[in-house]
Amino acid sequence: MIKYIKKKINRLFSSKKVMKIFYYSHKIFGEKKIGNINFDFSKKKNRVQILQEIIDTKNYKSYLEIGTFKNEVFNKIKCEKKIGVDPVMGGTIRDTSDNFFLNNNDKFDIIFIDGLHKYHQVKKDIENSINSLNKEGIILIHDCLPINYYAQAVPRCVYKWNGDVWRAFVEVRTKDNLDSFCCYADEGIGMIKKRKNTNKLLTNFADFSKIKYNFFFHNYKELMNLKEFNKILEII
């Protein structure tokens, strides 16, 4: 019954009418006159290609996906062991990521996070994934490069929505023991390795959830440690 109610709530908040209300709310009360970042992913590899190339290059054997939804990625990935977690549909486990990690004892070579695109949840998914990652493994996080204010605004107000995933990734960039890069491809794919940070982001942010999109707009290359995939593949 609880899962059914959650599904109904999720559908309500992603409906066109509700998103329209939130859009005008953001337009009135949110950040203004920022414009768009001219990201062009049209000639870049997509997330499936990137995931598979990393799996094949590193000879990874185990894959975990958080947020499978319609299996657009999960079904296309070829890996010896695959687990997909989603509370609504797709994958192999029907549950929230919080519950999954609470009961999980397995370690994975590669983890792809594409669940709820909100800072606090992404932060939890990253922290839990780090604890479930093999020593030489890697974490990938989708939707790190929102093109404009509305694409990252919370609550969601547009159909093509990245959420404020970028805020959680910026926080990772400040960690001494995590090396992180953002791949300039497919809405931005953050990558995390458990090792010394080779390009630590130095900031004075007390609360990463409150960083303004305007700051991201003007500093995203440095904030995200933005790189092309071929360069990242060499690094990892």
Side-chain angles (χ1 to χ4, degrees):
M1 185 63 178
I2 294 175
K3 289 184 179 180
Y4 174 78
I5 293 172
K6 285 183 177 180
K7 285 182 182 180
K8 288 293 185 181
I9 293 173
N10 288 335
R11 287 176 182 173
L12 174 65
F13 278 88
S14 60
S15 68
K16 290 182 179 179
K17 289 183 179 179
V18 172
M19 282 199 289
K20 190 173 183 179
I21 293 170
F22 286 139
Y23 176 83
Y24 284 108
S25 176
H26 286 302
K27 191 174 181 66
I28 295 168
F29 300 108
E31 297 178 61
K32 298 176 176 64
K33 297 182 179 179
I34 299 175
N36 296 335
I37 302 175
N38 295 319
F39 293 130
D40 183 5
F41 306 117
S42 61
K43 296 180 181 179
K44 309 292 184 181
K45 292 186 177 183
N46 62 44
R47 55 195 182 276
V48 174
Q49 292 170 321
I50 288 171
L51 284 162
Q52 195 63 59
E53 188 163 345
I54 292 174
I55 290 169
D56 295 342
T57 301
K58 302 290 287 185
N59 195 29
Y60 284 153
K61 303 298 183 184
S62 52
Y63 170 76
L64 170 65
E65 185 173 320
I66 300 300
T68 53
F69 195 48
K70 295 182 180 180
N71 283 335
E72 293 168 329
V73 174
F74 189 75
N75 282 351
K76 296 175 184 176
I77 296 299
K78 297 176 182 178
C79 195
E80 190 173 300
K81 176 184 177 182
K82 294 200 309 179
I83 292 178
V85 181
D86 195 292
V88 179
M89 64 176 71
T92 58
I93 295 176
R94 186 69 59 249
D95 209 341
T96 65
S97 57
D98 290 348
N99 287 339
F100 168 76
F101 283 119
L102 186 64
N103 299 294
N104 174 61
N105 294 313
D106 292 334
K107 299 284 186 179
F108 299 90
D109 293 325
I110 182 167
I111 301 175
F112 181 52
I113 300 174
D114 195 17
L116 183 61
H117 298 163
K118 295 182 179 180
Y119 163 78
H120 292 290
Q121 185 60 53
V122 177
K123 180 179 177 177
K124 285 196 291 183
D125 285 340
I126 291 172
E127 290 172 347
N128 286 326
S129 293
I130 289 167
N131 293 328
S132 297
L133 191 68
N134 282 325
K135 184 179 178 181
E136 298 300 322
I138 188 169
I139 298 168
L140 280 73
I141 306 138
H142 195 225
D143 290 292
C144 287
L145 296 177
I147 194 170
N148 57 34
Y149 170 77
Y150 299 105
Q152 59 86 61
V154 179
R156 180 179 182 175
C157 67
V158 291
Y159 180 75
K160 189 175 181 181
W161 185 64
N162 306 105
D164 59 346
V165 175
W166 66 271
R167 289 188 172 103
F169 189 73
V170 168
E171 186 165 356
V172 169
R173 292 269 295 108
T174 68
K175 305 297 182 183
D176 289 314
N177 62 334
L178 298 174
D179 209 11
S180 52
F181 322 88
C182 185
C183 181
Y184 183 29
D186 199 340
E187 305 300 322
I189 301 174
M191 300 185 180
I192 302 171
K193 293 277 290 183
K194 290 197 297 185
R195 65 188 184 195
K196 183 179 178 181
N197 195 335
T198 58
N199 186 18
K200 182 179 177 181
L201 179 66
L202 302 176
T203 73
N204 294 317
F205 297 128
D207 186 348
F208 289 85
S209 70
K210 297 188 183 304
I211 307 174
K212 297 294 185 180
Y213 180 75
N214 184 59
F215 188 77
F216 173 86
F217 183 91
H218 292 289
N219 301 279
Y220 68 87
K221 290 181 181 179
E222 179 186 1
L223 288 174
M224 308 305 281
N225 198 14
L226 199 62
K227 299 183 183 298
E228 296 289 345
F229 177 61
N230 59 350
K231 182 62 177 177
I232 290 176
L233 200 59
E234 291 177 9
I235 294 172
I236 65 174

Short mmCIF file of all heavy atoms in Angstrom, two decimals, residues 97-129:
data_model
loop_
_atom_site.label_atom_id
_atom_site.label_comp_id
_atom_site.label_asym_id
_atom_site.label_seq_id
_atom_site.Cartn_x
_atom_site.Cartn_y
_atom_site.Cartn_z
N SER A 97 17.02 2.70 -2.92
CA SER A 97 18.47 2.51 -2.80
C SER A 97 18.90 2.48 -1.34
O SER A 97 19.81 1.74 -0.97
CB SER A 97 19.22 3.61 -3.55
OG SER A 97 18.87 4.89 -3.09
N ASP A 98 18.24 3.27 -0.49
CA ASP A 98 18.57 3.28 0.94
C ASP A 98 18.40 1.89 1.54
O ASP A 98 19.27 1.39 2.26
CB ASP A 98 17.67 4.27 1.69
CG ASP A 98 18.00 5.73 1.37
OD1 ASP A 98 19.05 5.98 0.75
OD2 ASP A 98 17.20 6.61 1.74
N ASN A 99 17.26 1.27 1.26
CA ASN A 99 17.00 -0.07 1.79
C ASN A 99 17.95 -1.10 1.21
O ASN A 99 18.42 -2.01 1.91
CB ASN A 99 15.55 -0.49 1.51
CG ASN A 99 14.55 0.24 2.38
OD1 ASN A 99 14.90 0.78 3.43
ND2 ASN A 99 13.31 0.29 1.94
N PHE A 100 18.23 -0.98 -0.07
CA PHE A 100 19.15 -1.92 -0.70
C PHE A 100 20.52 -1.89 -0.03
O PHE A 100 21.07 -2.92 0.35
CB PHE A 100 19.30 -1.61 -2.19
CG PHE A 100 20.44 -2.36 -2.82
CD1 PHE A 100 20.32 -3.71 -3.13
CD2 PHE A 100 21.66 -1.72 -3.08
CE1 PHE A 100 21.39 -4.41 -3.69
CE2 PHE A 100 22.71 -2.41 -3.64
CZ PHE A 100 22.58 -3.76 -3.95
N PHE A 101 21.07 -0.70 0.11
CA PHE A 101 22.40 -0.58 0.70
C PHE A 101 22.42 -1.00 2.17
O PHE A 101 23.43 -1.50 2.66
CB PHE A 101 22.92 0.85 0.55
CG PHE A 101 23.42 1.18 -0.83
CD1 PHE A 101 22.82 2.19 -1.57
CD2 PHE A 101 24.49 0.48 -1.38
CE1 PHE A 101 23.29 2.51 -2.85
CE2 PHE A 101 24.97 0.79 -2.65
CZ PHE A 101 24.36 1.80 -3.38
N LEU A 102 21.32 -0.78 2.85
CA LEU A 102 21.22 -1.16 4.26
C LEU A 102 21.41 -2.66 4.44
O LEU A 102 21.97 -3.12 5.44
CB LEU A 102 19.86 -0.72 4.81
CG LEU A 102 19.62 -0.91 6.31
CD1 LEU A 102 20.58 -0.04 7.12
CD2 LEU A 102 18.18 -0.58 6.67
N ASN A 103 20.94 -3.43 3.46
CA ASN A 103 20.99 -4.89 3.55
C ASN A 103 22.04 -5.53 2.64
O ASN A 103 22.17 -6.76 2.62
CB ASN A 103 19.62 -5.48 3.21
CG ASN A 103 18.52 -4.99 4.16
OD1 ASN A 103 18.53 -5.31 5.33
ND2 ASN A 103 17.59 -4.19 3.64
N ASN A 104 22.77 -4.71 1.93
CA ASN A 104 23.73 -5.24 0.96
C ASN A 104 25.08 -5.57 1.59
O ASN A 104 25.62 -4.79 2.36
CB ASN A 104 23.95 -4.22 -0.16
CG ASN A 104 25.04 -4.65 -1.12
OD1 ASN A 104 24.92 -5.69 -1.76
ND2 ASN A 104 26.10 -3.87 -1.22
N ASN A 105 25.61 -6.74 1.23
CA ASN A 105 26.94 -7.15 1.69
C ASN A 105 27.90 -7.36 0.52
O ASN A 105 29.06 -7.73 0.74
CB ASN A 105 26.85 -8.44 2.50
CG ASN A 105 26.08 -8.25 3.80
OD1 ASN A 105 26.32 -7.30 4.53
ND2 ASN A 105 25.14 -9.14 4.09
N ASP A 106 27.43 -7.15 -0.70
CA ASP A 106 28.26 -7.36 -1.88
C ASP A 106 29.11 -6.14 -2.20
O ASP A 106 28.78 -5.02 -1.82
CB ASP A 106 27.39 -7.69 -3.09
CG ASP A 106 26.70 -9.04 -2.97
OD1 ASP A 106 27.23 -9.91 -2.25
OD2 ASP A 106 25.63 -9.21 -3.60
N LYS A 107 30.18 -6.38 -2.94
CA LYS A 107 31.02 -5.31 -3.48
C LYS A 107 30.94 -5.34 -4.99
O LYS A 107 30.79 -6.41 -5.60
CB LYS A 107 32.48 -5.49 -3.03
CG LYS A 107 32.70 -5.46 -1.52
CD LYS A 107 32.63 -4.04 -0.99
CE LYS A 107 33.00 -4.02 0.50
NZ LYS A 107 32.97 -2.64 1.05
N PHE A 108 31.06 -4.18 -5.60
CA PHE A 108 30.90 -4.09 -7.05
C PHE A 108 32.11 -3.38 -7.68
O PHE A 108 32.74 -2.53 -7.07
CB PHE A 108 29.63 -3.32 -7.39
CG PHE A 108 28.38 -3.97 -6.87
CD1 PHE A 108 27.89 -3.65 -5.60
CD2 PHE A 108 27.71 -4.91 -7.63
CE1 PHE A 108 26.74 -4.26 -5.11
CE2 PHE A 108 26.56 -5.53 -7.15
CZ PHE A 108 26.07 -5.20 -5.89
N ASP A 109 32.37 -3.75 -8.94
CA ASP A 109 33.47 -3.13 -9.68
C ASP A 109 33.04 -1.77 -10.24
O ASP A 109 33.85 -0.85 -10.31
CB ASP A 109 33.90 -4.02 -10.85
CG ASP A 109 34.55 -5.31 -10.39
OD1 ASP A 109 35.25 -5.28 -9.37
OD2 ASP A 109 34.35 -6.34 -11.06
N ILE A 110 31.79 -1.67 -10.66
CA ILE A 110 31.30 -0.43 -11.26
C ILE A 110 29.86 -0.19 -10.81
O ILE A 110 29.03 -1.10 -10.83
CB ILE A 110 31.42 -0.48 -12.80
CG1 ILE A 110 30.95 0.84 -13.42
CG2 ILE A 110 30.71 -1.69 -13.39
CD1 ILE A 110 31.33 0.99 -14.90
N ILE A 111 29.59 1.03 -10.38
CA ILE A 111 28.26 1.41 -9.90
C ILE A 111 27.80 2.64 -10.66
O ILE A 111 28.54 3.64 -10.75
CB ILE A 111 28.28 1.70 -8.39
CG1 ILE A 111 28.75 0.47 -7.60
CG2 ILE A 111 26.88 2.14 -7.91
CD1 ILE A 111 28.92 0.70 -6.11
N PHE A 112 26.60 2.57 -11.21
CA PHE A 112 26.03 3.68 -11.97
C PHE A 112 24.84 4.25 -11.21
O PHE A 112 23.86 3.54 -10.96
CB PHE A 112 25.59 3.20 -13.36
CG PHE A 112 25.00 4.28 -14.22
CD1 PHE A 112 25.66 5.49 -14.43
CD2 PHE A 112 23.77 4.10 -14.85
CE1 PHE A 112 25.12 6.48 -15.23
CE2 PHE A 112 23.23 5.08 -15.66
CZ PHE A 112 23.90 6.27 -15.85
N ILE A 113 24.93 5.52 -10.80
CA ILE A 113 23.88 6.18 -10.02
C ILE A 113 23.04 7.06 -10.94
O ILE A 113 23.54 8.01 -11.53
CB ILE A 113 24.49 7.03 -8.89
CG1 ILE A 113 25.30 6.14 -7.93
CG2 ILE A 113 23.39 7.77 -8.13
CD1 ILE A 113 26.05 6.92 -6.87
N ASP A 114 21.77 6.71 -11.06
CA ASP A 114 20.85 7.49 -11.89
C ASP A 114 19.45 7.44 -11.28
O ASP A 114 18.45 7.25 -11.98
CB ASP A 114 20.83 6.93 -13.32
CG ASP A 114 20.19 7.87 -14.31
OD1 ASP A 114 20.05 9.08 -13.99
OD2 ASP A 114 19.81 7.43 -15.41
N GLY A 115 19.41 7.59 -9.95
CA GLY A 115 18.14 7.50 -9.23
C GLY A 115 17.48 8.86 -9.06
O GLY A 115 17.42 9.64 -10.01
N LEU A 116 17.02 9.15 -7.86
CA LEU A 116 16.38 10.43 -7.59
C LEU A 116 17.41 11.54 -7.71
O LEU A 116 18.43 11.55 -7.03
CB LEU A 116 15.78 10.42 -6.18
CG LEU A 116 15.01 11.67 -5.75
CD1 LEU A 116 13.82 11.91 -6.67
CD2 LEU A 116 14.55 11.54 -4.30
N HIS A 117 17.13 12.53 -8.57
CA HIS A 117 18.11 13.56 -8.92
C HIS A 117 18.06 14.75 -7.97
O HIS A 117 17.98 15.91 -8.41
CB HIS A 117 17.88 14.03 -10.35
CG HIS A 117 18.05 12.95 -11.36
ND1 HIS A 117 17.56 13.05 -12.65
CD2 HIS A 117 18.63 11.73 -11.28
CE1 HIS A 117 17.85 11.94 -13.31
NE2 HIS A 117 18.49 11.13 -12.49
N LYS A 118 18.13 14.47 -6.69
CA LYS A 118 18.14 15.54 -5.68
C LYS A 118 19.39 15.40 -4.81
O LYS A 118 19.79 14.31 -4.44
CB LYS A 118 16.88 15.47 -4.82
CG LYS A 118 15.60 15.76 -5.59
CD LYS A 118 14.38 15.72 -4.68
CE LYS A 118 13.10 16.02 -5.45
NZ LYS A 118 11.90 15.99 -4.57
N TYR A 119 19.96 16.55 -4.46
CA TYR A 119 21.24 16.59 -3.76
C TYR A 119 21.34 15.61 -2.60
O TYR A 119 22.29 14.81 -2.54
CB TYR A 119 21.50 18.02 -3.26
CG TYR A 119 22.57 18.11 -2.20
CD1 TYR A 119 23.92 18.04 -2.53
CD2 TYR A 119 22.22 18.24 -0.85
CE1 TYR A 119 24.91 18.11 -1.56
CE2 TYR A 119 23.20 18.30 0.13
CZ TYR A 119 24.54 18.24 -0.23
OH TYR A 119 25.50 18.29 0.74
N HIS A 120 20.40 15.67 -1.67
CA HIS A 120 20.53 14.86 -0.45
C HIS A 120 20.49 13.36 -0.76
O HIS A 120 21.22 12.58 -0.14
CB HIS A 120 19.43 15.23 0.56
CG HIS A 120 19.59 16.61 1.12
ND1 HIS A 120 20.61 16.94 2.00
CD2 HIS A 120 18.88 17.75 0.92
CE1 HIS A 120 20.51 18.21 2.33
NE2 HIS A 120 19.49 18.73 1.68
N GLN A 121 19.66 12.95 -1.72
CA GLN A 121 19.59 11.54 -2.08
C GLN A 121 20.83 11.10 -2.85
O GLN A 121 21.37 10.02 -2.61
CB GLN A 121 18.34 11.24 -2.90
CG GLN A 121 18.15 9.75 -3.19
CD GLN A 121 18.03 8.93 -1.93
OE1 GLN A 121 17.21 9.22 -1.06
NE2 GLN A 121 18.85 7.89 -1.80
N VAL A 122 21.29 11.93 -3.77
CA VAL A 122 22.49 11.60 -4.53
C VAL A 122 23.69 11.49 -3.59
O VAL A 122 24.53 10.60 -3.74
CB VAL A 122 22.76 12.65 -5.63
CG1 VAL A 122 24.07 12.34 -6.36
CG2 VAL A 122 21.61 12.71 -6.61
N LYS A 123 23.77 12.39 -2.64
CA LYS A 123 24.86 12.34 -1.66
C LYS A 123 24.85 11.01 -0.91
O LYS A 123 25.90 10.38 -0.73
CB LYS A 123 24.73 13.50 -0.67
CG LYS A 123 25.83 13.53 0.40
CD LYS A 123 25.66 14.71 1.34
CE LYS A 123 26.73 14.68 2.42
NZ LYS A 123 26.64 15.85 3.33
N LYS A 124 23.65 10.58 -0.48
CA LYS A 124 23.55 9.28 0.22
C LYS A 124 23.93 8.13 -0.70
O LYS A 124 24.61 7.19 -0.28
CB LYS A 124 22.13 9.09 0.77
CG LYS A 124 21.82 9.90 1.99
CD LYS A 124 20.58 9.40 2.71
CE LYS A 124 19.32 9.64 1.91
NZ LYS A 124 18.10 9.20 2.65
N ASP A 125 23.46 8.19 -1.95
CA ASP A 125 23.78 7.12 -2.89
C ASP A 125 25.28 7.04 -3.15
O ASP A 125 25.84 5.94 -3.28
CB ASP A 125 23.02 7.34 -4.21
CG ASP A 125 21.54 7.00 -4.10
OD1 ASP A 125 21.16 6.27 -3.18
OD2 ASP A 125 20.77 7.49 -4.95
N ILE A 126 25.94 8.19 -3.22
CA ILE A 126 27.39 8.20 -3.41
C ILE A 126 28.10 7.59 -2.21
O ILE A 126 28.98 6.73 -2.35
CB ILE A 126 27.90 9.63 -3.67
CG1 ILE A 126 27.42 10.13 -5.04
CG2 ILE A 126 29.43 9.68 -3.60
CD1 ILE A 126 27.70 11.59 -5.30
N GLU A 127 27.72 8.04 -1.02
CA GLU A 127 28.37 7.53 0.20
C GLU A 127 28.17 6.03 0.35
O GLU A 127 29.11 5.30 0.70
CB GLU A 127 27.80 8.27 1.41
CG GLU A 127 28.23 9.74 1.47
CD GLU A 127 27.51 10.53 2.57
OE1 GLU A 127 26.51 10.00 3.10
OE2 GLU A 127 27.95 11.65 2.86
N ASN A 128 26.96 5.55 0.09
CA ASN A 128 26.68 4.12 0.18
C ASN A 128 27.42 3.34 -0.90
O ASN A 128 27.89 2.22 -0.65
CB ASN A 128 25.18 3.86 0.08
CG ASN A 128 24.43 4.25 1.34
OD1 ASN A 128 24.96 4.12 2.45
ND2 ASN A 128 23.22 4.74 1.20
N SER A 129 27.52 3.93 -2.08
CA SER A 129 28.22 3.26 -3.18
C SER A 129 29.71 3.12 -2.88
O SER A 129 30.33 2.11 -3.21
CB SER A 129 28.02 4.04 -4.48
OG SER A 129 26.68 3.98 -4.90
#
